[in-house]
Amino acid sequence: QVQLVESGGGLVQAGGSLRLSCAASGRTFRSLAMGWFRQAPGKEREFVATISWSGGTTYYADSVKGRFTMSRDNAKKTVFLQMNLLKPEDTAVYYCAADPADRFPRRSDYDYWGQGTQVTVSS
């Protein structure tokens, strides 16, 4: 089992930045690929970014490419999502997810999920 706890959400003006964190516990962190997803009101959950177990490879949704950066610290069992140049359409609940490393890269159907953290971008 893997437990995931997100933090760092909040309210920010358009053009601003936020840094989300996700702390993992349970299964060996290095055995996991990690992902970020988001769900806006009335919409389906969508893929945002994913990172390999080593942190050496990342993939992003086209909508966030060039603005968001995903990273991980295996010693601290934590992944991060640095979000810059935020837009009102980035408003959503952001979820951290974990998946066995040998399934990387995937954009859906992760095995473990956090509870989410709200990000609101005002115009």
Side-chain angles (χ1 to χ4, degrees):
Q1 278 286 27
V2 177
Q3 293 77 43
L4 303 171
V5 179
E6 303 97 334
S7 61
L11 173 64
V12 64
Q13 289 188 332
S17 298
L18 280 175
R19 189 191 195 205
L20 305 184
S21 299
C22 172
S25 60
R27 184 169 171 172
T28 303
F29 191 62
R30 284 186 174 84
S31 71
L32 299 170
M34 302 295 295
W36 284 100
F37 295 76
R38 67 186 182 186
Q39 186 167 19
K43 295 187 177 181
E44 292 188 353
R45 188 163 57 191
E46 64 175 1
F47 167 79
V48 175
T50 184
I51 192 166
S52 62
W53 71 270
S54 67
T57 305
T58 52
Y59 294 96
Y60 298 93
D62 288 344
S63 58
V64 307
K65 202 171 294 182
R67 299 187 298 122
F68 290 11
T69 302
M70 187 174 184
S71 61
R72 66 190 291 162
D73 184 335
N74 284 346
K76 296 182 178 179
K77 299 182 180 182
T78 303
V79 294
F80 306 96
L81 186 67
Q82 177 66 44
M83 305 186 295
N84 299 328
L85 300 175
L86 283 161
K87 305 175 181 180
E89 51 263 44
D90 294 319
T91 295
V93 177
Y94 282 70
Y95 297 91
C96 175
D99 213 30
D102 59 0
R103 296 181 187 173
F104 178 84
R106 294 211 303 180
R107 300 190 176 214
S108 63
D109 299 325
Y110 278 51
D111 281 359
Y112 306 101
W113 294 86
Q115 293 300 307
T117 185
Q118 177 70 47
V119 171
T120 303
V121 184
S122 63
S123 57

